[in-house]
PDB file of all heavy atoms in Angstrom:
ATOM      1  N   ASP A   8     186.119  -1.187  32.369  1.00 95.00           N
ATOM      2  CA  ASP A   8     186.258   0.013  33.190  1.00 95.00           C
ATOM      3  C   ASP A   8     185.144   0.982  32.897  1.00 95.00           C
ATOM      4  O   ASP A   8     185.133   1.637  31.866  1.00 95.00           O
ATOM      5  CB  ASP A   8     187.654   0.611  32.907  1.00 95.00           C
ATOM      6  CG  ASP A   8     187.926   1.811  33.827  1.00 95.00           C
ATOM      7  OD1 ASP A   8     187.102   2.138  34.679  1.00 95.00           O
ATOM      8  OD2 ASP A   8     189.026   2.394  33.651  1.00 95.00           O
ATOM      9  N   ASN A  13     187.222  -0.642  42.221  1.00 90.00           N
ATOM     10  CA  ASN A  13     188.640  -0.623  42.304  1.00 90.00           C
ATOM     11  C   ASN A  13     189.235  -1.424  41.177  1.00 90.00           C
ATOM     12  O   ASN A  13     189.717  -2.572  41.337  1.00 90.00           O
ATOM     13  CB  ASN A  13     189.136  -1.152  43.668  1.00 90.00           C
ATOM     14  CG  ASN A  13     190.567  -0.915  43.902  1.00 90.00           C
ATOM     15  OD1 ASN A  13     191.325  -0.583  42.941  1.00 90.00           O
ATOM     16  ND2 ASN A  13     191.030  -1.034  45.131  1.00 90.00           N
ATOM     17  N   ASP A  53     173.137   3.574  38.555  1.00 91.00           N
ATOM     18  CA  ASP A  53     174.196   4.427  38.044  1.00 91.00           C
ATOM     19  C   ASP A  53     175.098   3.682  37.126  1.00 91.00           C
ATOM     20  O   ASP A  53     175.465   4.190  36.033  1.00 91.00           O
ATOM     21  CB  ASP A  53     175.033   4.998  39.200  1.00 91.00           C
ATOM     22  CG  ASP A  53     174.222   5.912  40.114  1.00 91.00           C
ATOM     23  OD1 ASP A  53     173.089   6.295  39.747  1.00 91.00           O
ATOM     24  OD2 ASP A  53     174.753   6.282  41.151  1.00 91.00           O
ATOM     25  N   ASN A 115     170.968  -9.704  65.373  1.00 88.00           N
ATOM     26  CA  ASN A 115     172.380  -9.950  65.781  1.00 88.00           C
ATOM     27  C   ASN A 115     172.461 -10.832  67.006  1.00 88.00           C
ATOM     28  O   ASN A 115     173.511 -11.008  67.575  1.00 88.00           O
ATOM     29  CB  ASN A 115     173.130  -8.623  66.017  1.00 88.00           C
ATOM     30  CG  ASN A 115     172.581  -7.853  67.184  1.00 88.00           C
ATOM     31  OD1 ASN A 115     171.712  -8.305  67.910  1.00 88.00           O
ATOM     32  ND2 ASN A 115     173.100  -6.632  67.400  1.00 88.00           N
ATOM     33  N   VAL A 123     174.549  -2.741  58.224  1.00 93.00           N
ATOM     34  CA  VAL A 123     174.645  -2.801  56.723  1.00 93.00           C
ATOM     35  C   VAL A 123     175.425  -1.586  56.299  1.00 93.00           C
ATOM     36  O   VAL A 123     175.152  -0.512  56.808  1.00 93.00           O
ATOM     37  CB  VAL A 123     173.214  -2.732  56.088  1.00 93.00           C
ATOM     38  CG1 VAL A 123     173.332  -2.692  54.598  1.00 93.00           C
ATOM     39  CG2 VAL A 123     172.384  -3.943  56.549  1.00 93.00           C
ATOM     40  N   GLN A 150     186.927 -18.513  53.515  1.00 97.00           N
ATOM     41  CA  GLN A 150     186.535 -17.197  53.903  1.00 97.00           C
ATOM     42  C   GLN A 150     187.020 -16.181  52.860  1.00 97.00           C
ATOM     43  O   GLN A 150     188.223 -16.101  52.556  1.00 97.00           O
ATOM     44  CB  GLN A 150     187.085 -16.859  55.293  1.00 97.00           C
ATOM     45  CG  GLN A 150     186.422 -17.591  56.391  1.00 97.00           C
ATOM     46  CD  GLN A 150     186.886 -17.191  57.764  1.00 97.00           C
ATOM     47  OE1 GLN A 150     187.944 -17.637  58.208  1.00 97.00           O
ATOM     48  NE2 GLN A 150     186.137 -16.374  58.469  1.00 97.00           N
ATOM     49  N   TYR A 152     186.318 -11.998  51.136  1.00 98.00           N
ATOM     50  CA  TYR A 152     185.945 -10.676  51.586  1.00 98.00           C
ATOM     51  C   TYR A 152     184.677 -10.133  50.887  1.00 98.00           C
ATOM     52  O   TYR A 152     184.615 -10.127  49.663  1.00 98.00           O
ATOM     53  CB  TYR A 152     187.099  -9.660  51.350  1.00 98.00           C
ATOM     54  CG  TYR A 152     186.905  -8.382  51.995  1.00 98.00           C
ATOM     55  CD1 TYR A 152     187.213  -8.118  53.358  1.00 98.00           C
ATOM     56  CD2 TYR A 152     186.391  -7.248  51.253  1.00 98.00           C
ATOM     57  CE1 TYR A 152     186.975  -6.872  53.930  1.00 98.00           C
ATOM     58  CE2 TYR A 152     186.180  -6.034  51.848  1.00 98.00           C
ATOM     59  CZ  TYR A 152     186.460  -5.833  53.184  1.00 98.00           C
ATOM     60  OH  TYR A 152     186.243  -4.620  53.763  1.00 98.00           O
ATOM     61  N   ARG A 196     190.516  -8.979  46.431  1.00 97.00           N
ATOM     62  CA  ARG A 196     190.794  -8.440  47.767  1.00 97.00           C
ATOM     63  C   ARG A 196     190.721  -9.525  48.852  1.00 97.00           C
ATOM     64  O   ARG A 196     190.701  -9.176  50.023  1.00 97.00           O
ATOM     65  CB  ARG A 196     189.778  -7.313  48.100  1.00 97.00           C
ATOM     66  CG  ARG A 196     189.762  -6.215  47.113  1.00 97.00           C
ATOM     67  CD  ARG A 196     190.811  -5.145  47.429  1.00 97.00           C
ATOM     68  NE  ARG A 196     192.048  -5.401  46.802  1.00 97.00           N
ATOM     69  CZ  ARG A 196     193.130  -4.611  46.888  1.00 97.00           C
ATOM     70  NH1 ARG A 196     193.068  -3.499  47.571  1.00 97.00           N
ATOM     71  NH2 ARG A 196     194.271  -4.841  46.271  1.00 97.00           N
ATOM     72  N   ALA A 198     193.016 -11.915  49.451  1.00 97.00           N
ATOM     73  CA  ALA A 198     194.352 -12.533  49.668  1.00 97.00           C
ATOM     74  C   ALA A 198     194.497 -13.769  48.780  1.00 97.00           C
ATOM     75  O   ALA A 198     193.991 -13.827  47.696  1.00 97.00           O
ATOM     76  CB  ALA A 198     194.537 -12.825  51.130  1.00 97.00           C
TER      77      ALA A 198
ATOM     78  N   GLU B  47     192.523  -6.157  56.582  1.00 98.00           N
ATOM     79  CA  GLU B  47     192.464  -4.955  55.790  1.00 98.00           C
ATOM     80  C   GLU B  47     193.662  -4.097  56.160  1.00 98.00           C
ATOM     81  O   GLU B  47     194.351  -4.412  57.140  1.00 98.00           O
ATOM     82  CB  GLU B  47     191.199  -4.107  56.042  1.00 98.00           C
ATOM     83  CG  GLU B  47     189.893  -4.770  55.789  1.00 98.00           C
ATOM     84  CD  GLU B  47     188.691  -3.864  55.975  1.00 98.00           C
ATOM     85  OE1 GLU B  47     188.862  -2.627  56.093  1.00 98.00           O
ATOM     86  OE2 GLU B  47     187.584  -4.404  56.095  1.00 98.00           O
ATOM     87  N   PHE B  75     196.872  -7.881  48.302  1.00 97.00           N
ATOM     88  CA  PHE B  75     195.514  -8.133  47.792  1.00 97.00           C
ATOM     89  C   PHE B  75     194.485  -8.267  48.915  1.00 97.00           C
ATOM     90  O   PHE B  75     193.777  -9.286  49.002  1.00 97.00           O
ATOM     91  CB  PHE B  75     195.536  -9.318  46.816  1.00 97.00           C
ATOM     92  CG  PHE B  75     196.486  -9.040  45.652  1.00 97.00           C
ATOM     93  CD1 PHE B  75     197.698  -9.694  45.581  1.00 97.00           C
ATOM     94  CD2 PHE B  75     196.149  -8.115  44.685  1.00 97.00           C
ATOM     95  CE1 PHE B  75     198.578  -9.400  44.537  1.00 97.00           C
ATOM     96  CE2 PHE B  75     197.001  -7.826  43.662  1.00 97.00           C
ATOM     97  CZ  PHE B  75     198.258  -8.477  43.567  1.00 97.00           C
ATOM     98  N   ILE B  76     194.443  -7.229  49.758  1.00 98.00           N
ATOM     99  CA  ILE B  76     193.416  -7.150  50.782  1.00 98.00           C
ATOM    100  C   ILE B  76     192.889  -5.696  50.696  1.00 98.00           C
ATOM    101  O   ILE B  76     193.560  -4.866  50.140  1.00 98.00           O
ATOM    102  CB  ILE B  76     193.894  -7.455  52.200  1.00 98.00           C
ATOM    103  CG1 ILE B  76     195.149  -6.633  52.526  1.00 98.00           C
ATOM    104  CG2 ILE B  76     194.098  -8.978  52.373  1.00 98.00           C
ATOM    105  CD1 ILE B  76     195.657  -6.824  53.982  1.00 98.00           C
ATOM    106  N   ARG B  95     191.263   5.526  42.282  1.00 94.00           N
ATOM    107  CA  ARG B  95     191.870   5.065  41.030  1.00 94.00           C
ATOM    108  C   ARG B  95     193.306   4.586  41.204  1.00 94.00           C
ATOM    109  O   ARG B  95     193.796   3.757  40.462  1.00 94.00           O
ATOM    110  CB  ARG B  95     191.855   6.154  39.942  1.00 94.00           C
ATOM    111  CG  ARG B  95     190.507   6.596  39.406  1.00 94.00           C
ATOM    112  CD  ARG B  95     189.782   5.548  38.622  1.00 94.00           C
ATOM    113  NE  ARG B  95     190.313   5.247  37.326  1.00 94.00           N
ATOM    114  CZ  ARG B  95     189.693   4.551  36.403  1.00 94.00           C
ATOM    115  NH1 ARG B  95     188.487   4.079  36.659  1.00 94.00           N
ATOM    116  NH2 ARG B  95     190.263   4.301  35.246  1.00 94.00           N
ATOM    117  N   GLY B  97     194.155   2.787  43.605  1.00 95.00           N
ATOM    118  CA  GLY B  97     194.121   1.404  44.116  1.00 95.00           C
ATOM    119  C   GLY B  97     193.510   1.289  45.526  1.00 95.00           C
ATOM    120  O   GLY B  97     193.432   0.180  46.058  1.00 95.00           O
ATOM    121  N   ASP B  99     190.434   1.021  48.147  1.00 96.00           N
ATOM    122  CA  ASP B  99     189.044   0.517  48.107  1.00 96.00           C
ATOM    123  C   ASP B  99     188.085   1.442  48.849  1.00 96.00           C
ATOM    124  O   ASP B  99     186.917   1.522  48.504  1.00 96.00           O
ATOM    125  CB  ASP B  99     188.968  -0.850  48.776  1.00 96.00           C
ATOM    126  CG  ASP B  99     189.844  -1.868  48.063  1.00 96.00           C
ATOM    127  OD1 ASP B  99     189.356  -2.392  47.054  1.00 96.00           O
ATOM    128  OD2 ASP B  99     190.977  -2.032  48.470  1.00 96.00           O
ATOM    129  N   ARG B 119     176.825   8.505  47.231  1.00 91.00           N
ATOM    130  CA  ARG B 119     176.007   8.283  46.009  1.00 91.00           C
ATOM    131  C   ARG B 119     176.898   7.987  44.813  1.00 91.00           C
ATOM    132  O   ARG B 119     176.618   7.122  44.008  1.00 91.00           O
ATOM    133  CB  ARG B 119     175.203   9.553  45.790  1.00 91.00           C
ATOM    134  CG  ARG B 119     174.123   9.436  44.751  1.00 91.00           C
ATOM    135  CD  ARG B 119     172.900   8.655  45.228  1.00 91.00           C
ATOM    136  NE  ARG B 119     171.875   8.567  44.254  1.00 91.00           N
ATOM    137  CZ  ARG B 119     171.881   7.752  43.212  1.00 91.00           C
ATOM    138  NH1 ARG B 119     172.834   6.836  43.132  1.00 91.00           N
ATOM    139  NH2 ARG B 119     170.903   7.749  42.332  1.00 91.00           N
ATOM    140  N   GLY B 197     173.549   2.078  62.536  1.00 94.00           N
ATOM    141  CA  GLY B 197     173.285   0.776  61.895  1.00 94.00           C
ATOM    142  C   GLY B 197     174.373   0.352  60.914  1.00 94.00           C
ATOM    143  O   GLY B 197     174.144  -0.501  60.071  1.00 94.00           O
ATOM    144  N   THR B 283     190.144 -17.287  60.107  1.00 94.00           N
ATOM    145  CA  THR B 283     191.246 -18.247  60.336  1.00 94.00           C
ATOM    146  C   THR B 283     192.220 -18.087  59.192  1.00 94.00           C
ATOM    147  O   THR B 283     191.805 -18.075  58.014  1.00 94.00           O
ATOM    148  CB  THR B 283     190.681 -19.704  60.284  1.00 94.00           C
ATOM    149  OG1 THR B 283     189.677 -19.809  61.307  1.00 94.00           O
ATOM    150  CG2 THR B 283     191.766 -20.727  60.529  1.00 94.00           C
TER     151      THR B 283
END
Side-chain angles (χ1 to χ4, degrees):
Chain A
D8 184 1
N13 191 344
D53 294 349
N115 65 6
V123 175
Q150 289 183 281
Y152 189 83
R196 300 275 90 177
Chain B
E47 299 184 16
F75 302 106
I76 53 177
R95 292 294 288 192
D99 298 278
R119 190 75 178 82
T283 303

